[in-house]
Amino acid sequence: MKDKVTIFDTTLRDGEQAPGASMTIHEKVRIARQLVKLNAGVIEAGFPISSPAQFEAVASIVRDVQGPVICALARALENDVHAAGKSLSGGERTRIHTFIATSDIHIDAKFGSDRYGKTLPEKRRNVVRMAREAVQLARTYTDDIEFSTEDAGRTDHGFLCEVIAAAIEEGATTINIPDTTGYCTPTEYARMFEAVRKGVRSTKNVVLSTHCHDDLGFAVANSIAAVRAGARQIECTINGIGERAGNAALEEVVMALRVRHEQFGVDTDIEATHLAETSRMVSVATGFPVPPNKAIVGRNAFSHEAGIHQHGVLKRRDTYEIMQAEDVGQTSEQIRLGRHSGRHGFFSRLKRMGLHVDDSRKDTLYQLFVRLADRKKEIHDADLIHLVQGNAEHAVLQHYRLDNLSVTVATGKRPKAEVEVFSVAAEKRLTAQGTGDGPVDAVYRAINHALGSSRKLESYSIRSVSEGTGAIGEVTVLIRESGAFFRGQAQNTDVIRASADAYIDALNNLETWRSDEENMTFVGNGIMSSFEGGVA
Ligand code: KIV
Ligand code: ZN
C-alpha cells in the first residue's frame, strides 16, 4: 500500500462553512496560493451551486492557482454537477466531488417525499441511483471524481458498501467516507474503513479518504485511525475551522504522521515550515483567532514558562519538546518569561541577550522581575532591557497609547479625526488630524500623521462578538514590516475606537519586535527572536 497520504485541504469550502468565517474571493485566492506553498495535494475551492460568489471563487482559483488538484463540491444533483463542472472549466487538474447522504436519519429527513420511494429500501435504491447518475454526469467534465457518503459515520455498513460499490463502478476514483456529525470513536471509524475494504473489493483501485468533524474532539484521532485502516487521503482544514466544532486540523494530522512516523509508516508531502504562516493567514482572513495553546500553530506551542520546564529545555531541548518550532515555521523562542518563570530561565535569557548583571544585583533584579510579571502577562526582551537598566516602569508601558480620539462625520463632508497618541520613546503626547474616505480611514491617517508615518494596512476585518445594536465589534488589522506581519486586535462597542485601538496594538507589536530585533543584532546569533514577531 502507498506510503504517501494526500492532503485534501477544505479550508475554503468546509472551513468557510464555519459560522462567521466567510472570506472574500480575493482572500480565497491568496489562501489558495499559500496552499500551493504548503504543497497541499488537493484544494477544495468551494461549492459552486450555492452562490454566484462561490462559483466565481472556484473559477478564480482555477485561473490563478497551478499545482494542486482544484476541486469543486456538488450534491448528487444534475444542476450541482453542471455548476461544479463549469466552474472548473479551463483548469489543468480538476476534480468534481459529489456526495449524497446515506444514513437512515439523513435519508428520512432529506428524501422524505414519496417521490423518492415509500419505504426505506425504496429510498435507499433511489440514493444508489442518484449516486450513479451524479458520478456518470461528473465524468463528462473530468476523470477525477470523488464520491462521498454523507453521514457515513451513522450509516449501516451493508448499505454503505452497496453505495460505494456503485459509485466505483461508475468511475469514482476517490471514495470519501465522512464522519459528518463527529459521532464516531477512533475504533469505530477505523472499523468502518475495514468493513468497506472487505465488503467492496474494487476499493483496491481507488483512494479511500477520511473526512472528520470535531464534535466530540475526535477529528484528528479519527483521521489517523482511518489512515491506519487504509485511508490514503485526509480531508482537513487549516486551524481545524469548519462546520460547528470544525474539521480535523491540517497542521495536527500532518505533524502527527511526521513526528510519529515509526507508528504509522506514512507521510504527507506538506512543506511543514509554511504551517505557521498559513495558520496566521487563515486566522486573519476569517477573523478567527488561533488559541495560544493550539497544537502546532498556537503561539505558546513551543514556549515554556514554568521554571522546571525552562531549566530542562535549556539543558536539553528534547526534555519537553517533541518537535522543533522551526519545523513548522514558528519562531524558536523557547523561553517565555512570565509569572511562573524561575530564576534560571530569567537569568539565562538575560545572558543570551548579552545583558550582564553583577551577582550583588541579582536578588533585587529577580524580585523586580517577579513583581513586573505579576502585572504583565508576558515579559518581552524590551521589558528586560528596561529592568536591567533600572527603568522598570517603562517596561509596563507600551510604545504607544491612544489617549484621545474624536471623529466628526457629517453628510456631504469628508469624515475628520483628531487623535492624541502618547509615545514612550519620545516621552510626549503627539496630536494630529486626518480626513479620509470613511471615519476609520480618517482615524488611521490621523494616527499616521501623529507618528510621522505613511504606513498602509495589509488587511482590516471587523466582526460582531455579541448581539443587538450595542454589540461589541472586534477589529483585527494586519500591518507588514520587512516581510513580517503584525496583527493588532481590539474590541469595543464603539467600532471606530476599536479600529483605532487595533491599529495602535499592531504598531506596539511591531515596535516590540523591532526592539527585540535590535537586541538580536547587538548580541549576534545568541538570542532567540520574540514571539511578537510571529503575529499569532
Ligand atoms: O461533512 C461532510 O459530510 C461533508 C461532505 C460534503 C463531504 O462536508
Ligand atoms: Zn464536512
Side-chain angles (χ1 to χ4, degrees), residues 14 37 155 353 382 402 435 532:
D14 219 344
K37 272 168 86 183
T155 298
M353 288 173 66
L402 183 63
T435 57
E532 283 302 304

Side-chain angles (χ1 to χ4, degrees), residues 353-367:
M353 288 173 66
L355 295 170
H356 175 74
V357 181
D358 283 340
D359 283 349
S360 59
R361 260 190 90 209
K362 278 192 170 162
D363 284 345
T364 322
L365 204 60
Y366 183 64
Q367 290 312 318

Side-chain angles (χ1 to χ4, degrees), residues 14 211 213 247:
D14 219 344
H211 179 111
H213 283 268
N247 289 60

Side-chain angles (χ1 to χ4, degrees), residues 13-14 73 97 99 148 150 176 178 180 211 213:
R13 200 279 297 171
D14 219 344
L73 184 70
H97 175 190
F99 72 98
S148 285
E150 194 190 14
N176 184 42
T180 306
H211 179 111
H213 283 268

